[in-house]
Amino acid sequence: MDNTIRITGKIREAVKLPMCGKDSQGNLYEVDNLSLMKNGRRFLPVMGEFHFSRYEPEDWEEELLKMKAGGITVTATYVFWIHHEERRGEWDFGGCRDLRGFLETCRRVGMQVWLRIGPWAHGECRNGGFPDWLTEEFGSRLRSNDPGYLKEVRRLYQKIGEQAAGEMAKDGGPIIGIQLENEYGHCGGGPSSQEECMEHMRTLKRMALEAGMEVPYYTSTGWGGGIVVDGETLPVLGGYVDAPWAEHVQEMPASANFLFSSYKQDENIGSDLKRQESRQFTFDISRNPYLTAELGGGLQPTSHRRTYPWPEDIEAQALCMLGGGANLLGYYMYHGGINPEGKETTLQESRATGYNNDLPVKSYDFQTCIRESGEVNESYGRLRRLHLLLQDFGEELAGSETCFPEKLPESPEDLHTLRTTARVNPESRTGFLFINNHQRKRRMEERKDAAVKLVFPESELVIDHLFLKPGSCAVIPFSLPVGEAFLEKTNASLLCRLGSRYFFYGSKEVCENPFYQWRGEAGDVVTLTEEQAARACRLGDALYVTEYQDSCLIEQEGKIYLISSHEQEKVICYRAEGGPKVFTVKAQETDVPVRFTPLEPDAENRAGSEAVGKAAGYCEYEVCIGDVPVDKLHQLYLEADYVGDRAELYLDGRLADDWFTNGETWHAALKRFDYPASLVLRIYSSDSPIPNPYDNQVYYDLPVEKGCALRGVKAVAEYKTEL
């Protein structure tokens, strides 16, 4: 027996918290010490961060639909003060800064919103989102109840309230929650007294309400001693698979985020800005549900740390949080973006503004589920497997008892002990066995025919025939009603259901020998491979499986579209009854020629010249793009294969996009630049990194070749075809 878990079957006393609200349809949102509730029923939402001011407004709808297709039910977004009032008194809510337009788009596509209103945000934004004029005037009085500072915050909140008027849930809008401040009491300034910090958070909430921001839920970040006012704000926690902000250029120790535990305290979050060494929670965990808002959907490279989030990392961390009892999965970021143009300065975090990291001026790709370019990453499909499960069984999980095994790993370096936990609903007795056989940058043991014993007060159940590859994880149901049938146990992971047909998945070995033990008649089940499940998308009353991992499906205006870079693709469609149907989707092949030439020293109207560039540690190329048949394609990506520390794209002498070398091939979306005929690509030598305090060394996870040269460019067409 690889491990044993004792199930007490006790129903934890539920105590409602003084926080609730109704939407315009009369639905009542409440919360107790266990979970969020809607009309008295528990629900477990999935939240993904997407910054509206870091993306083109004409594409908001499609990107939100990609998020919905990925299983996201709530989008979180910052309102960066500096994006809207960079110059004092000059408010800008136009273009990509159009908060009202974004909220209306969310309402139209059926996406709820958790609005993060600051005033300080962080988010790798300049000054953490504070305008320069604010930091210059108030200095150490920022983030306090200083009357002058509060006067400015009141102006900000009033402006946000005006933009969001009519968009609260009570008014029929999408905003279901508000986050006040960010990492307050953990990162950056503010009073040293905890009580003063508590009073400041109470003040911010009063001001938000005065500005019309009345919603069912209010949150504040709870890690690292972050200030949470019991009864006034709900704590949200987080975790990242690495720390690109860490103040060194060595590999991080093995992370405890890949172990199962309750109320995870990730010591690395904000470690570059933390005010003091590890602080305990400022809230009572017995009185608050376990909610997350910053599970890293990826990692944003910094100039000195080019960490890479493998898809296995992202999936395993989320599964460990869920298996540990989390009742809200919130990802930061879920969708990457690009910084808008500043009026006075660039808008990224940098050492020049007193922070400890240099970020790309433009790119906020975050190597996450949906990239800055709009392309879907492998982690998109891996996480969707969990999200489909939560759509159908979130209520069961939200009311469950979390039970940890008798044998716990000694440390994250323990690669032998089976990492597992169980969540069992004490009322229905349905349970889910969570198993993680992955540790970032380590190799766990392969397990063949593993078994876990579940000990109930009056019985035992052995979950066996488990096959676990290194790097894999699983959610195995037990005591599960399947239509009219009853599944006692299995060795396959549960994906979702369509009517009384249930979908499972597993490794090749599991799929070849799936084990289902029924009490009585067998139910209607379909067993997919792990890869098929990662490509599975439920839209309407059907489950679709794309042929390629980098393709995605969306539902828009009642129609289903395939977005893919492949000219031909097969899509399998499953329904609640009958056999699968196969669609073959064809797009008209499009070839856009691209060529590049080194810039000559006397070239005019360029970002620079070869002679100047060599002295500055960079080289430049003109990239010429042929005619783009916009009626035949949906998007065109410029793929640049280069060697160097970083690269920049210039359009008409203006920096349009940039990229910190991380071992991947750079894809830049050209539609956002109106498909230019030519661009200038500047590549900085590996010998000329952005200066840092670590002897100008740079840490990489992926292999990176040093040099300073463009080896090739090509155009990658993307198609959008109705299914």
Side-chain angles (χ1 to χ4, degrees), residues 452-705:
V452 177
K453 181 191 290 186
L454 304 175
V455 180
F456 297 88
E458 299 176 355
S459 63
E460 293 183 356
L461 179 66
V462 176
I463 309 295
D464 49 9
H465 305 294
L466 301 173
F467 182 89
L468 302 167
K469 297 182 298 182
S472 66
C473 48
V475 184
I476 312 289
F478 55 89
S479 302
L480 177 72
V482 177
E484 297 297 319
F486 188 84
L487 178 64
E488 292 184 337
K489 63 179 183 177
T490 180
N491 64 347
S493 287
L494 181 59
L495 181 66
C496 66
R497 65 186 174 208
L498 294 176
S500 59
R501 173 172 286 175
Y502 283 54
F503 292 80
F504 294 78
Y505 65 95
S507 64
K508 176 184 176 183
E509 292 77 7
V510 169
C511 289
E512 289 175 350
N513 295 287
F515 175 77
Y516 296 99
Q517 181 171 306
W518 302 94
R519 183 187 302 169
E521 294 292 322
D524 183 3
V525 300
V526 176
T527 308
L528 304 175
T529 66
E530 291 174 312
E531 294 77 16
Q532 287 174 323
R535 302 194 305 270
C537 174
R538 181 168 54 194
L539 297 172
D541 60 355
L543 185 72
Y544 300 89
V545 180
T546 61
E547 185 175 356
Y548 299 103
Q549 167 266 315
D550 58 354
S551 301
C552 73
L553 291 159
I554 63 170
E555 184 173 4
Q556 189 171 30
E557 297 179 351
K559 298 178 181 179
I560 294 174
Y561 294 93
L562 174 70
I563 299 176
S564 174
S565 60
H566 306 276
E567 289 86 13
Q568 181 170 313
E569 183 163 357
K570 287 183 169 61
V571 179
I572 304 172
C573 175
Y574 293 91
R575 296 191 183 275
E577 297 178 347
K581 182 178 180 181
V582 179
F583 296 91
T584 299
V585 182
K586 295 181 179 180
Q588 187 173 350
E589 184 176 354
T590 303
D591 183 24
V592 178
V594 181
R595 60 181 175 83
F596 68 93
T597 55
L599 280 180
E600 298 298 327
D602 59 350
E604 297 179 356
N605 301 318
R606 308 299 188 192
S609 71
E610 187 176 21
V612 173
K614 286 182 177 178
Y618 62 76
C619 57
E620 290 186 331
Y621 301 84
E622 181 179 21
V623 178
C624 296
I625 303 161
D627 292 337
V628 179
V630 293
D631 57 327
K632 295 180 181 179
L633 51 77
H634 181 56
Q635 173 67 272
L636 191 70
Y637 303 104
L638 179 67
E639 181 177 293
D641 179 15
Y642 73 92
V643 291
D645 175 72
R646 60 197 186 279
E648 298 171 340
L649 275 177
Y650 288 85
L651 178 61
D652 298 328
R654 175 182 60 84
L655 178 64
D657 203 355
D658 56 355
W659 188 257
F660 281 3
T661 305
N662 66 346
E664 294 182 290
T665 302
W666 182 20
H667 275 200
L670 295 180
K671 184 168 69 173
R672 62 168 42 116
F673 309 127
D674 295 324
Y675 299 117
S678 69
L679 292 157
V680 171
L681 178 61
R682 176 185 291 180
I683 300 169
Y684 288 84
S685 170
S686 303
D687 296 328
S688 300
I690 297 173
N692 66 49
Y694 318 110
D695 294 326
N696 292 343
Q697 297 299 304
V698 178
Y699 172 84
Y700 292 96
D701 272 334
L702 296 178
V704 171
E705 183 180 340

